[in-house]
Amino acid sequence: NERLRSRVAALEAGEGGEEGGRWVRQRVGAAPDGAPPSNAAVQAMDVAAATAVLRAHVSVSRVAAAACTRLAILCMEDQNRQLAAGADAVEAIVAAMRAHPQEEEVQTEGCWALRNVCAGDDAAGLARKQRAAD
């Protein structure tokens, strides 16, 4: 008990820096390479970056949902739809939806993203629809 009280007092005073005999480091700044990005970082990405992060972190449902949301928002604009198709966004979105069949947010955001990527009645829009169906 005395040891615990002493440790609590030291932490409250801002002293210490070790936990369980190990020094504790807090990460400050950007995540290490290969770590999933934050939702805020995903929401700042362009079409190519959002598609790339979706492919790279397809197994992380939070990132999959955030990337699908970002692609859906970006592809509300006509000029981004063909960019998304060129970046293989359709395949990345479908892969995310297949990787997380029980995750409602991934399914909902993925459907929204596919709808927006595939929008359009011109030849390019019809080609994107066919690509999604395949």
Side-chain angles (χ1 to χ4, degrees):
N1 276 338
E2 186 58 38
R3 183 174 175 208
L4 179 60
R5 279 187 221 135
S6 172
R7 181 72 183 127
V8 169
L11 289 173
E12 287 174 347
E15 300 171 7
E18 59 180 277
E19 179 180 301
R22 298 176 305 169
W23 283 97
V24 177
R25 289 182 53 197
Q26 268 189 309
R27 181 167 47 95
V28 177
D33 290 337
S38 68
N39 288 356
V42 173
Q43 293 310 312
M45 293 178 177
D46 63 10
V47 170
T51 303
V53 82
L54 182 55
R55 278 195 301 268
H57 299 287
V58 70
S59 65
V60 182
S61 63
R62 176 191 57 79
V63 175
C68 286
T69 299
R70 183 62 180 157
L71 288 168
I73 291 167
L74 289 169
C75 291
M76 292 171 77
E77 299 177 18
D78 293 338
Q79 70 271 15
N80 288 331
R81 292 179 186 140
Q82 202 54 40
L83 290 173
D88 294 332
V90 170
E91 292 81 0
I93 294 164
V94 170
M97 293 175 73
R98 286 184 175 156
H100 304 284
Q102 302 301 317
E103 292 289 334
E104 181 180 355
E105 187 177 14
V106 174
Q107 297 300 311
T108 301
E109 300 304 317
C111 286
W112 183 33
L114 284 174
R115 182 235 176 260
N116 289 355
V117 170
C118 297
D121 293 328
D122 59 345
L126 295 174
R128 290 189 302 268
K129 287 178 178 87
Q130 184 60 50
R131 192 170 173 179
D134 291 342

